[in-house]
């Protein structure tokens, strides 16, 4: 039924961006341009608007770096979590225990 809450959720899921960090950075860059323009229109000096723009650019770059770092850390944690457990010392399978003799290794079993 159109106009129901379920339809709105389906539409929102389809519109999600594959890279939300890029969307955030894109909006931040937009504000880095928009804020100084608005300040100039409101009578702020050019130096004040330029200083504000420089501060916004610095904050945007720092936030982008932190977001990317968090994204990488999440990816590593996800990869480690999905990797199979390899045992106590990283060995799996047969013939991996210490101190056992293996038939076929060329030594006689007496």
């Amino acid at each position: 039924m159109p106009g129901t809450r379920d339809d709105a959720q389906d539409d929102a899921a389809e519109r999600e961006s594959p890279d939300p960090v890029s969307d955030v950075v894109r909006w931040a860059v937009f504000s880095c341009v928009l804020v100084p323009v608005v300040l100039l229109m409101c009578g702020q000096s050019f130096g004040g608007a330029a200083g504000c723009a420089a501060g916004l650019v610095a904050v945007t770059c720092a936030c982008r770096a932190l977001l990317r770092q968090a994204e990488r850390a999440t990816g590593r944690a996800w990869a480690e979590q999905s990797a199979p457990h390899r045992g106590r010392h990283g060995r799996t399978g047969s013939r991996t225990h210490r101190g056992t003799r293996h038939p076929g290794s060329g030594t006689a079993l007496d």
Side-chain angles (χ1 to χ4, degrees):
M1 171 178 222
T4 63
R5 188 177 184 137
D6 293 333
D7 287 338
Q9 289 175 350
D10 291 341
D11 291 342
E14 291 174 4
R15 286 182 272 149
E16 287 184 18
S17 173
D19 188 14
V21 173
S22 293
D23 290 343
V24 170
V25 171
R26 214 174 290 132
W27 278 106
V29 169
F30 174 72
S31 11
C32 288
V33 173
L34 182 65
V35 168
V37 170
V38 170
L39 287 174
L40 287 173
M41 288 174 38
C42 290
Q44 181 76 9
S45 69
F46 182 76
C52 182
L56 285 172
V57 167
V59 169
T60 300
C61 290
C63 288
R64 180 183 182 274
L66 289 172
L67 283 168
R68 291 294 181 189
Q69 181 181 2
E71 198 174 50
R72 285 191 302 267
T74 303
R76 280 193 302 264
W78 182 259
E80 290 173 1
Q81 195 175 40
S82 64
H85 183 67
R86 293 193 44 94
R88 183 173 175 191
H89 296 287
R91 299 181 305 249
T92 59
S94 63
R95 299 186 188 187
T96 57
H97 300 287
R98 293 184 188 181
T100 59
R101 299 189 64 134
H102 307 294
S105 63
T107 59
L109 295 176
D110 290 320

